[in-house]
Amino acid sequence: MKTTITLFAISVCVGCSEGVTLPPTTTNETHKPEPVLLALKPDEDEYVYELIIEQHAARAETVMSILEIEIKVTATRFNSGRVRFEFDVVRADATTGPTRERQRPDPRRAAAVRPLRWTSEHDPSGRVVDLAVHTQKDTERILDMLGARNGLFGIVYSEEPVTRGTSWRTNELGVEWQLASAADWLATLEGALAAPATDHPPKRSQSVRARVQIPTGMPIEMVGDEAITPVDGPWESVLRHWTLSLIG
């Protein structure tokens, strides 16, 4: 019995010694992520975004307001690489109250936002090269909150390819952007704005997280938080949380 076992073991070893596949060896090599070149190249089409703004204003008491609007965006591309966008608020609903559970309709505020329209022209990085506001005033400061004077919803891309963790700074108001991740057709950006307190503009800080389509450069979702203190008017501080979603 011992001899049989020995011969069987030998035959198995001889049969496996030729052409054996060794397990893969581990290495410390890491593959660097491929650089991503983000640029504004939208389809010449209409895009519909939903914008929801929750605002907490505080002084002697706290007032919470919620504004929901839909913005139709029409894109036109030019041979120069520039893109013109026409923004038109097509729906607006507003509520106000001390808490989310105690909101009441605010038709006057909603009516003030409905006429809001603006047109902007952008270079391929998204930077604004021309802006025209077609309403007398922006009562909700929506344009400032969205960074409409700086980029497409505030986004300005790096003119060079970037990899995950790369930061770039825009000249407008010292906004810093960073590529948080990129995979397939989707990239995630993180942006921050910190404006120092001066005699005229109030102290303002803002953080934004955006998901954008790599082929077109168009955002599909953005989430932002903004704090302003002090501000002109009756409030000592204003906190805003907003979301922008591509819905059509």
Side-chain angles (χ1 to χ4, degrees):
M1 185 67 178
K2 289 184 180 180
T3 303
T4 304
I5 293 176
T6 302
L7 291 175
F8 179 74
I10 292 173
S11 64
V12 170
C13 291
V14 173
C16 293
S17 60
E18 296 181 1
V20 65
T21 302
L22 298 177
T25 58
T26 58
T27 64
N28 293 326
E29 293 183 5
T30 57
H31 296 284
K32 294 182 179 180
E34 292 293 331
V36 177
L37 179 60
L38 296 169
L40 201 55
K41 299 177 293 184
D43 298 327
E44 294 195 28
D45 201 352
E46 289 185 354
Y47 302 81
V48 181
Y49 287 90
E50 182 182 56
L51 174 64
I52 301 176
I53 305 171
E54 296 185 4
Q55 175 175 291
H56 295 257
R59 195 169 189 177
E61 61 179 358
T62 299
V63 174
M64 178 182 181
S65 61
I66 301 175
L67 178 65
E68 299 182 15
I69 66 176
E70 285 185 13
I71 307 172
K72 183 178 71 174
V73 182
T74 305
T76 304
R77 292 175 61 180
F78 301 97
N79 293 334
S80 62
R82 291 187 176 183
V83 184
R84 183 178 65 213
F85 292 101
E86 298 178 14
F87 301 85
D88 188 6
V89 173
V90 295
R91 180 183 67 86
D93 296 299
T95 57
T96 305
T99 64
R100 173 182 285 275
E101 292 74 19
R102 297 172 61 188
Q103 295 284 297
R104 60 184 181 275
D106 192 346
R108 180 179 299 180
R109 184 159 162 254
V113 177
R114 288 192 190 101
L116 183 58
R117 295 174 55 247
W118 72 99
T119 302
S120 55
E121 190 170 321
H122 304 252
D123 65 15
S125 72
R127 194 182 313 274
V128 173
V129 296
D130 189 28
L131 174 70
V133 181
H134 307 301
T135 48
Q136 293 182 353
K137 60 181 180 178
D138 174 18
T139 56
E140 294 289 329
R141 301 177 187 245
I142 293 174
L143 298 185
D144 288 338
M145 186 196 66
L146 288 177
R149 294 176 172 84
N150 307 320
L152 178 60
F153 297 117
I155 298 176
V156 176
Y157 298 125
S158 170
E159 296 180 359
E160 302 293 333
V162 293
T163 56
R164 188 179 63 185
T166 301
S167 299
W168 62 94
R169 197 173 181 86
T170 64
N171 294 328
E172 297 84 0
L173 299 177
V175 182
E176 183 171 280
W177 288 97
Q178 182 182 81
L179 179 65
S181 64
D184 298 329
W185 58 276
L186 186 67
T188 302
L189 306 180
E190 295 177 348
L193 163 68
T198 62
D199 293 336
H200 297 289
K203 182 178 181 181
R204 177 185 174 201
S205 63
Q206 187 181 77
S207 61
V208 182
R209 187 174 180 88
R211 294 196 302 163
V212 301
Q213 298 173 344
I214 295 177
T216 66
M218 294 293 291
I220 60 174
E221 184 180 49
M222 298 181 70
V223 179
D225 290 284
E226 182 182 43
I228 302 177
T229 179
V231 297
D232 53 346
W235 308 111
E236 292 182 352
S237 65
V238 172
L239 301 177
R240 293 190 183 106
H241 175 76
W242 57 272
T243 59
L244 181 77
S245 304
L246 179 64
I247 60 174

